[in-house]
Amino acid sequence: MSFSYLSHLHCPKCHKTYPSDKIQQLCECGSPLLANYDLQSLKRKWKPSDLAGRPTSLWRYHELLPVSSPEHIVTLGEGMTPLLPMSRVGSDMGIERLWMKDEGIIPTGSFKARGAAVGVSKAKELGVRELAMPTNGNAGAAWSLYAARAGIRASIVMPVGAPLITRSECAISGANLNLVNGLISDAGKIVGQAVKEHQLFDASTLKEPYRIEGKKTMGLEIAEQMGWELPDVILYPTGGGVGLIGIYKALRELVELGWIQDKLPRLVAVQAEGCAPIVKAWEEGKQESQFWPDSSTAAFGINVPKALGDFLVLEAVYKTNGCAVSITDTELLREQRNVARLEGAFVCPEGAATFSAARKLRENGWIKDGETVVALNTGSGIKYPETVQVEAPILDPQDRMIRL
Amino acid sequence: MSFSYLSHLHCPKCHKTYPSDKIQQLCECGSPLLANYDLQSLKRKWKPSDLAGRPTSLWRYHELLPVSSPEHIVTLGEGMTPLLPMSRVGSDMGIERLWMKDEGIIPTGSFKARGAAVGVSKAKELGVRELAMPTNGNAGAAWSLYAARAGIRASIVMPVGAPLITRSECAISGANLNLVNGLISDAGKIVGQAVKEHQLFDASTLKEPYRIEGKKTMGLEIAEQMGWELPDVILYPTGGGVGLIGIYKALRELVELGWIQDKLPRLVAVQAEGCAPIVKAWEEGKQESQFWPDSSTAAFGINVPKALGDFLVLEAVYKTNGCAVSITDTELLREQRNVARLEGAFVCPEGAATFSAARKLRENGWIKDGETVVALNTGSGIKYPETVQVEAPILDPQDRMIRL
């Protein structure tokens, strides 16, 4: 048994292939590259029961991850996050079997830890010494911290409007942090120029091929945690879209391994009304999205006006008979509160949007009676204090408690 | 096999016993009550290998937890947090085998989730409808959210100086939140009066017997994760002290079950110089601490001027040949930064204090060459943004990245 069955990289647009034993960024044609594994060999040697007793982190799936040698793994214990029944919110919205995959319970408090753990580990294995990336906050925080653990230098550029706590995470890790008066697309241009000028490793979304391999493990875990019986629907908050692309890739690999049947869950891309390029493209039946001008939403992580992997997101939605749906900030903030009051889970605004979308899709009948639904919460609400209004009386020590 | 082997409650001071099938608070003598299990029966039926394949949450140890019936479990997936090697920080302080038990990777972002999960589950099983408690922030946040999931009403009183994010967690869960111009001891008096006037369940630290049972699971997990070979030293940040008491209780129960040998790790109570009543008592060889006037520290969770369970903390320290040590805020904030830069872990100030203490105890020779040391990080640094200074240039979209 090899530790990893990674075989090579390929371009999903022009189909050119690349070796995976040296640093790769985009394809010559400008498309992201994706990782291929020798699934036919792996299929003969690996079965679900082999997972028993393995570490309860995403590294339990190392055969399907790109790191060739265990000593290059950079880990903070990420993965195998809880899959929780949400029966009270579910019955509130008429979905009997509603589950939440809770990516708040992970190092750095967001699902970005998965991409960073695998991306940084592979970068370390390939000898990267310094990386740079634009971010809406959480990815930069995660890559800063994992890079620190790996001894890799990181330069991060994020919008001034990104969640404040993510600045602290970058700063305390010793990363070189720049803020920009603009959006993640502006940060991306600044990083692009610096990458050229200083020959840095570009860790931007989908500009290196391994972040998605980390995100993929959300799909592997959902499948394993459900006993290899997939749900009918998975809802995912979609900015750059790597999570959704990753889940789709994971499920197809599991089909090839014969671990699951080939009827995949319908994948739903959830966006905010203030930034919904994927939804617009889906509604128009297009294969790619257009830049969304003047984008804005309280769910900062999905404020991505044009994603490099938009065509892969749309492919995943079309191929699984999924859909794309947008939610107002008012709706998602109301749902965030509702989930906390009924389930005790303080989800992030992006995660709240998936519950809002489930409610909407149940109301309009797209989600049917008795279907099993998984909503992805991509991060912890504690990273977004500004989304909660606190009204509390202030007492002096001799006062009585006010009990409303 | 029963689901739980809880047999009764006993008073560690006057030795009176109480039945565990109804609501209990303190002993008549004013001491906390502790839970007893039928370990002799359990010993004959339960062995470490039975844990294989169980859920990766603290409920894998249900035989040693007080909830009688699985349907009363209120869970957000808490427990089995990572135990991580900290080799770079370890070699920086001359401790070859340094580990961190990372309680930041848990619902609500702090170890308080363990006490809340078990305490709320047992309260639900016993029919509690409304609870009240004082808090330095994180416990109130955890109990608010778990109570919401259980459908139990919660009233929380916290100092105005407690971490702001914990206010948001209480508020969004729908708890009745009061702030007080004072310390947790002032909040405790206000809660005490409300408990009497309104016949509420008092969920204050150690005033109900089951929070400690949740905390205990940190000890069970460390033992299991180390393959039932214990470390030489465990360092714990000590405010109310329930975590340390719980770990000690867990280890003694494992000795009785024959799962570990009876040479226990030396337990270290770590406090802040601005609030060090346990350290003072230990230095003077006393069995109880005295109220620490005008207490103050950046590590807000351990700003507890007089703990109800002080005598149990001191007993655990004395019986294991441990010690108690205090750290300045300057030292612990420096260590917080050091841990992030070298290991990529953004620990909370209380957790940073344990690393600081390890450094100090290695320097003075109390921790010896080659010893295995576990530092408990009790929560995620993302709950304490104010402990990090961020200095970052602000660019306009057409600017170049500043690379320091």
Side-chain angles (χ1 to χ4, degrees):
Chain A
M1 288 288 288
S2 302
F3 189 72
S4 167
Y5 281 74
L6 180 67
S7 58
H8 63 282
L9 300 170
H10 83 278
C11 172
K13 268 202 175 146
C14 77
H15 308 294
K16 190 167 155 56
T17 62
Y18 293 83
S20 55
D21 60 357
K22 53 184 198 170
I23 296 173
Q24 305 287 1
Q25 306 255 214
L26 291 175
C27 178
E28 282 167 18
C29 81
S31 163
L33 295 175
L34 297 176
N36 283 66
Y37 295 81
D38 181 359
L39 296 174
Q40 290 317 307
S41 297
L42 184 54
K43 186 178 182 168
R44 290 193 298 271
K45 296 176 191 158
W46 199 39
K47 51 188 190 308
S49 58
D50 293 331
L51 296 173
R54 288 204 178 175
T56 55
S57 76
L58 59 82
W59 298 101
R60 66 198 278 104
Y61 308 111
H62 57 79
E63 286 89 344
L64 282 180
L65 292 172
V67 179
S68 306
S69 174
E71 71 262 27
H72 295 125
I73 288 177
V74 180
T75 181
L76 292 164
E78 57 288 331
M80 281 310 264
T81 57
L83 181 71
L84 295 171
M86 301 296 267
S87 51
R88 295 175 76 200
V89 163
S91 85
D92 185 53
M93 55 176 76
I95 299 174
E96 234 174 290
R97 286 190 275 272
L98 179 65
W99 296 79
M100 171 173 70
K101 178 72 172 161
D102 192 359
E103 295 288 305
I105 320 301
I106 202 166
T108 79
S110 94
F111 78 115
K112 300 287 186 179
R114 295 182 188 265
V118 175
V120 166
S121 296
K122 189 66 186 176
K124 186 182 163 200
E125 185 164 85
L126 294 172
V128 168
R129 307 286 291 275
E130 183 168 1
L131 60 84
M133 66 190 298
T135 177
N136 268 341
N138 280 322
W143 282 73
S144 292
L145 287 159
Y146 281 90
R149 193 162 173 88
I152 292 174
R153 191 170 151 69
S155 282
I156 309 291
V157 186
M158 70 168 73
V160 290
L164 281 180
I165 186 64
T166 61
R167 293 188 193 177
S168 302
E169 295 176 85
C170 295
I172 201 166
S173 72
N176 175 45
L177 173 65
N178 283 204
L179 304 172
V180 60
N181 274 315
L183 293 178
I184 190 170
S185 40
D186 300 302
K189 282 175 207 147
I190 292 168
V191 166
Q193 190 180 42
V195 160
K196 263 190 235 156
E197 284 180 12
H198 305 291
Q199 286 82 50
L200 307 178
F201 179 67
D202 191 341
S204 304
T205 305
L206 291 172
K207 288 194 181 167
E208 61 75 47
Y210 301 111
R211 185 200 289 211
I212 185 179
E213 296 302 301
K215 303 281 184 76
K216 184 176 84 175
T217 57
M218 287 185 286
L220 301 176
E221 290 179 17
I222 290 172
E224 182 181 358
Q225 288 171 321
M226 297 199 125
W228 314 105
E229 295 286 337
L230 296 179
D232 299 292
V233 175
I234 298 176
L235 300 113
Y236 202 88
T238 306
V242 183
L244 196 139
I245 303 168
I247 289 173
Y248 180 60
K249 186 171 191 286
L251 298 179
R252 283 186 336 180
E253 287 171 0
L254 290 176
V255 169
E256 278 207 60
L257 289 174
W259 289 21
I260 59 171
Q261 300 204 316
D262 66 357
K263 189 180 165 291
L264 297 188
R266 305 187 322 267
L267 298 178
V268 179
V270 180
Q271 298 202 300
E273 289 215 346
C275 183
I278 300 286
V279 177
K280 185 162 184 289
W282 178 77
E283 284 171 350
E284 295 168 352
K286 303 248 171 80
Q287 306 302 313
E288 294 198 10
S289 68
Q290 284 185 300
F291 188 91
W292 188 276
D294 304 318
S295 63
S296 155
T297 166
F300 204 83
I302 53 177
N303 190 345
V304 178
K306 163 79 181 166
L308 188 59
D310 56 356
F311 70 102
L312 295 168
V313 173
L314 286 159
E315 185 196 337
V317 170
Y318 291 129
K319 287 272 180 70
T320 61
N321 298 308
C323 70
V325 60
S326 63
I327 302 296
T328 67
D329 282 5
T330 309
E331 287 170 322
L332 70 88
L333 292 173
R334 193 193 305 134
E335 199 71 47
Q336 186 193 34
R337 197 176 131 109
N338 196 45
V339 170
R341 294 194 167 219
L342 291 177
E343 300 285 3
F346 184 13
V347 302
C348 65
E350 297 85 358
T354 65
F355 286 96
S356 236
R359 184 183 296 277
K360 192 172 266 192
L361 293 173
R362 180 68 187 114
E363 275 167 13
N364 71 18
W366 193 88
I367 292 176
K368 295 176 209 69
D369 247 7
E371 289 198 314
T372 300
V373 176
V374 174
L376 247 298
N377 174 44
T378 43
S380 174
I382 59 183
K383 300 192 86 172
Y384 302 76
E386 68 287 353
T387 58
V388 185
Q389 275 205 313
V390 180
E391 281 159 25
I394 299 183
L395 310 179
D396 281 320
Q398 68 281 6
D399 289 344
R400 277 204 159 81
M401 189 169 85
I402 295 172
R403 186 159 151 266
L404 300 171
Chain B
M1 286 292 287
S2 302
F3 189 72
S4 167
Y5 280 74
L6 180 66
S7 59
H8 64 282
L9 301 170
H10 83 279
C11 172
K13 267 204 174 145
C14 78
H15 308 296
K16 192 167 154 53
T17 63
Y18 292 83
S20 55
D21 58 358
K22 52 184 198 168
I23 297 173
Q24 305 286 1
Q25 305 254 214
L26 292 176
C27 179
E28 283 167 17
C29 82
S31 164
L33 294 175
L34 297 177
N36 285 66
Y37 295 81
D38 181 0
L39 297 174
Q40 290 317 306
S41 297
L42 184 55
K43 187 177 182 167
R44 290 192 299 269
K45 298 174 191 160
W46 200 40
K47 50 188 194 307
S49 59
D50 294 330
L51 297 173
R54 288 205 180 175
T56 55
S57 75
L58 59 82
W59 298 102
R60 65 199 277 105
Y61 308 112
H62 58 77
E63 287 89 344
L64 282 180
L65 290 172
V67 179
S68 307
S69 174
E71 71 262 28
H72 295 125
I73 288 177
V74 180
T75 181
L76 291 164
E78 56 288 333
M80 282 310 266
T81 56
L83 181 71
L84 296 170
M86 301 295 268
S87 51
R88 294 175 75 200
V89 163
S91 85
D92 185 52
M93 55 176 77
I95 299 175
E96 233 175 290
R97 285 189 276 270
L98 179 65
W99 297 80
M100 171 173 68
K101 178 70 173 163
D102 192 358
E103 295 287 306
I105 320 304
I106 200 164
T108 80
S110 94
F111 79 117
K112 300 287 186 180
R114 295 181 188 266
V118 174
V120 166
S121 296
K122 188 66 186 177
K124 186 181 164 202
E125 185 164 86
L126 294 172
V128 168
R129 307 286 291 276
E130 182 167 0
L131 61 82
M133 67 190 297
T135 177
N136 267 343
N138 280 322
W143 282 73
S144 293
L145 287 159
Y146 281 89
R149 191 161 175 88
I152 292 174
R153 191 168 152 68
S155 283
I156 309 292
V157 186
M158 70 168 71
V160 290
L164 281 180
I165 185 63
T166 62
R167 292 188 194 178
S168 302
E169 295 176 85
C170 294
I172 200 166
S173 73
N176 176 45
L177 173 64
N178 284 203
L179 304 172
V180 58
N181 275 314
L183 294 178
I184 190 172
S185 41
D186 299 304
K189 282 175 206 146
I190 291 168
V191 166
Q193 191 180 41
V195 161
K196 262 190 234 157
E197 284 179 11
H198 306 291
Q199 286 82 51
L200 307 177
F201 178 66
D202 191 343
S204 305
T205 305
L206 291 173
K207 287 194 181 167
E208 62 74 50
Y210 302 112
R211 184 198 291 209
I212 184 179
E213 296 302 302
K215 303 280 183 76
K216 184 176 85 175
T217 56
M218 287 186 285
L220 301 176
E221 290 178 16
I222 290 171
E224 183 180 358
Q225 288 170 322
M226 296 199 125
W228 314 104
E229 296 283 337
L230 296 179
D232 299 293
V233 174
I234 298 176
L235 300 111
Y236 202 88
T238 306
V242 182
L244 196 139
I245 303 169
I247 290 173
Y248 180 58
K249 186 170 190 286
L251 297 179
R252 284 187 334 179
E253 287 172 359
L254 290 176
V255 169
E256 276 206 62
L257 288 175
W259 290 21
I260 58 171
Q261 300 204 317
D262 67 356
K263 189 180 165 289
L264 297 188
R266 307 192 314 271
L267 298 178
V268 179
V270 179
Q271 299 202 300
E273 289 216 346
C275 183
I278 301 285
V279 177
K280 185 162 184 288
W282 178 77
E283 284 172 350
E284 294 169 353
K286 300 247 170 80
Q287 306 301 313
E288 294 196 10
S289 68
Q290 284 184 300
F291 188 91
W292 187 276
D294 303 318
S295 63
S296 155
T297 167
F300 205 82
I302 52 176
N303 189 345
V304 179
K306 162 80 181 166
L308 189 59
D310 56 356
F311 70 103
L312 295 168
V313 173
L314 286 158
E315 185 196 337
V317 170
Y318 290 130
K319 287 271 179 69
T320 61
N321 299 309
C323 70
V325 60
S326 63
I327 301 297
T328 66
D329 281 4
T330 309
E331 287 170 322
L332 70 88
L333 292 173
R334 193 192 306 134
E335 200 71 46
Q336 186 193 32
R337 196 176 132 108
N338 196 46
V339 169
R341 294 196 167 218
L342 291 176
E343 300 284 2
F346 183 12
V347 301
C348 65
E350 297 83 357
T354 65
F355 287 96
S356 237
R359 184 182 296 277
K360 193 173 265 190
L361 293 172
R362 180 69 187 113
E363 273 167 16
N364 72 19
W366 192 89
I367 292 176
K368 294 175 209 69
D369 248 7
E371 289 198 312
T372 300
V373 175
V374 174
L376 246 298
N377 174 43
T378 43
S380 174
I382 58 182
K383 300 193 85 173
Y384 301 77
E386 68 288 354
T387 58
V388 185
Q389 276 206 312
V390 179
E391 282 159 25
I394 300 182
L395 311 179
D396 282 319
Q398 69 281 9
D399 289 343
R400 278 205 159 81
M401 189 170 85
I402 295 171
R403 186 158 152 268
L404 302 171

